[in-house]
Amino acid sequence: MLRLTDIKLPLRHSDADLSTAIVNKLAIQAGDLLGFTVFKRSYDARKKSNILLVYQLDVVLTDTAEKDVLERFSLQAFVKPSPDTSYHFVARASADFPTGDQQRPIIIGFGPAGILAALVLAQMGLMPIVLERGKDVRQRTKDTWGLWREGKLNTESNVQFGEGGAGTFSDGKLYSQVKDKRHLGRKVLTEFVKAGAPEEILTVSKPHIGTFKLVKMVENMRAEIIRLGGEIRFAHKVESIQREETGDGQGQITGLTLSTGESLPCRHIILAIGHSARDTFQMLLDQGVYIEAKPFSIGFRIEHPQSVIDQARFGEQAGNPILGAADYKLVHHCANGRSVYSFCMCPGGTVVAATSETGRVVTNGMSQYSRHERNANAAIVVGIEPQKDYPGHVFAGIDLQRKLETLAYELGGSNYKAPAQLVGDFLQGKPSTKLASVIPSYQPGVTLGDLSKALPPFAVAAIREAIPAFDKKIKGFAMADAILTGVETRTSSPICLKRGKDFQSINTRGLYPAGEGAGYAGGILSAAIDGIKVAEALAVDILN
């Protein structure tokens, strides 16, 4: 079988057109083509008047034709033997695991990294124990709606904490830019499909699921982990870890203590706690685990009518069901040396309250699978660095996040409403007093005012410069009626739990930092891939 790339056809085409394109591209006889399947489909919208679908195909030819094609195109990149994208386990536990000194591995956190780590360990027969401080995804959804509808925050069950992780209340994007030579992303997507995700996520170039589908999928993956011998404990917060000093600043994990008072002996812990477990970060630092500050970004959410984005991206093809709701990805390098970029763009979605701490306001974006809501939204954020913007100590970035989130809470009215401003008023430097044509989607609501007070001056200046620059790429981006809502502070973890090539903490054996909270991922797919890598390293250490 051959992998054929860069097949381009108009939006409206038939299967016969695909067959013809294959025959023409490879210069073969029609009878030499025995069949084909779509491996990946994307689109090329650089010319709005001629948007094309772009295919990667797995093609089956007669033996003679395949040999001939490989010889004729040996120096061409567009056709090669199809790679093996199946997953191969690095280790397997014996039937009597655990025995002797071997102990079941523990996973702290049940977001994308924790779920895939637990699933792969369970599939290898290692019967992991998962400890999740939040609630199961159904109850967590109810608690989250409690904040959105009634302004009531549950600090242990919200957008950040609970089964499924922060990605549950997002657009459910399932693509990343990580190098994936072992096709671990394919493993993740395959497991998602087994758990109920649409099969199309295996073939479209920018797959997404959406919150409602993610909920059921997460439940099914949990059931599979349990079926394979794993154990999931909700409302089990880890209060402390036991770390035994072994000399030269090094240590070994020996166990942990839960909020229930229970202690669990363990020498292998995967730490997949997400980017908002600030109290757990502090506990780890107090116990001697090495942590360092890392860059992250701060900014606002911006909302436009989805129709404006569709028209700017697709022109007369706007609304085509094959293309769906349009997205964008933007970056601008400012005169003050800062970079402003779009982040977590949610087509046809909503801006959501994402705080996990009392008296603070944080925004994020979310879409359902249909992406049929009226507005498009994205974070427009400014990159910041520890040495320049929050020097002093390892948690100075967290201090900055908290300061800005508290300020946003106060600017919003101290009731979990968010501060907001029309884009036109923001660019002119005057407070907003009334809404225009774009209605903000953030719940429990917004308070109009002056967002220049919500961020440091350098960030405000950078965003004011970037929005008109973005308008040159997406016509209508700087429309006066568009809405900015503050603040977006949790784009990524402000710290990194440094690990070595063996995926263990550089100064604590047995501790495997994973995913977004540890500083090694950004988004559902990359976090899930990282969870697999860490699980594999742990399994090899236990079993070999």
Side-chain angles (χ1 to χ4, degrees), residues 221-480:
M221 296 183 80
R222 180 218 309 165
E224 178 65 7
I225 292 167
I226 293 171
R227 187 187 72 80
L228 293 171
E231 181 181 344
I232 319 290
R233 302 187 189 182
F234 295 111
H236 276 63
K237 181 180 177 181
V238 175
E239 293 288 356
S240 65
I241 61 167
Q242 281 78 59
R243 179 179 179 274
E244 184 180 83
E245 293 290 339
T246 57
D248 297 327
Q250 300 296 304
Q252 167 67 51
I253 288 292
T254 59
L256 50 78
T257 302
L258 302 175
S259 55
T260 61
E262 181 182 3
S263 292
L264 295 176
C266 187
R267 297 181 70 83
H268 294 86
I269 295 175
I270 291 177
L271 194 69
I273 56 178
H275 58 43
S276 293
R278 295 162 171 172
D279 48 0
T280 304
F281 294 153
Q282 185 65 58
M283 176 272 290
L284 293 166
L285 187 68
D286 293 343
Q287 294 293 325
V289 176
Y290 180 78
I291 302 175
E292 65 182 33
K294 64 174 278 293
F296 64 104
S297 301
I298 56 175
F300 306 127
R301 280 271 152 185
I302 190 167
E303 288 188 90
H304 303 87
Q306 181 62 50
S307 58
V308 169
I309 306 302
D310 290 345
Q311 183 64 36
R313 293 280 283 114
F314 299 147
E316 63 182 22
Q317 294 295 339
N320 188 299
I322 295 176
L323 298 174
D327 63 3
Y328 56 77
K329 186 176 183 180
L330 301 166
V331 64
H332 176 69
H333 302 290
C334 299
N336 66 3
R338 303 285 176 168
S339 291
V340 180
Y341 62 98
S342 62
F343 172 79
C344 186
M345 195 274 159
C346 297
T350 55
V351 179
V352 299
T355 188
S356 56
E357 296 182 337
T358 303
R360 298 190 169 97
V361 162
V362 182
T363 63
N364 196 6
M366 185 181 85
S367 296
Q368 299 300 345
Y369 175 71
S370 64
R371 290 177 167 175
H372 278 169
E373 296 297 328
R374 176 173 46 194
N375 292 347
N377 77 81
I380 302 299
V381 292
V382 183
I384 58 176
E385 300 178 1
Q387 299 87 344
K388 181 190 300 184
D389 300 308
Y390 48 99
H393 62 93
V394 67
F395 290 155
I398 293 176
D399 290 346
L400 176 59
Q401 287 177 323
R402 283 175 162 156
K403 176 183 176 181
L404 297 176
E405 292 164 12
T406 299
L407 179 57
Y409 179 77
E410 294 168 352
L411 291 172
S414 299
N415 53 9
Y416 294 108
K417 290 186 177 181
Q421 188 174 13
L422 275 66
V423 165
D425 292 338
F426 176 75
L427 295 178
Q428 293 178 39
K430 63 179 185 181
S432 292
T433 57
K434 62 180 181 179
L435 294 172
S437 62
V438 180
I439 305 302
S441 59
Y442 178 94
Q443 294 297 331
V446 302
T447 300
L448 293 175
D450 182 2
L451 281 179
S452 69
K453 300 176 182 179
L455 294 179
F458 71 81
V460 172
I463 294 173
R464 278 186 174 144
E465 180 183 327
I467 289 175
F470 291 159
D471 191 77
K472 296 177 181 178
K473 301 176 182 178
I474 303 290
K475 187 177 180 180
F477 198 88
M479 64 182 291

Side-chain angles (χ1 to χ4, degrees), residues 114-153:
I115 291 172
L116 266 295
L119 180 62
V120 169
L121 288 174
Q123 289 171 339
M124 288 190 281
L126 290 172
M127 297 182 292
I129 299 172
V130 177
L131 306 173
E132 168 56 56
R133 68 188 292 172
K135 298 179 183 179
D136 68 81
V137 70
R138 293 280 173 178
Q139 185 57 51
R140 176 193 178 200
T141 300
K142 294 178 182 179
D143 292 336
T144 299
W145 279 102
L147 173 62
W148 296 350
R149 291 174 172 171
E150 303 173 18
K152 296 179 180 179
L153 172 67

Side-chain angles (χ1 to χ4, degrees), residues 525-543:
L525 187 61
S526 62
I529 290 172
D530 197 60
I532 294 175
K533 292 178 179 178
V534 169
E536 291 177 335
L538 184 151
V540 168
D541 193 60
I542 285 182
L543 298 175

Side-chain angles (χ1 to χ4, degrees), residues 200-213:
E200 70 181 40
I201 69 172
L202 294 170
T203 56
V204 296
S205 64
K206 293 183 178 180
H208 75 284
I209 299 179
T211 292
F212 289 166
K213 289 184 180 293

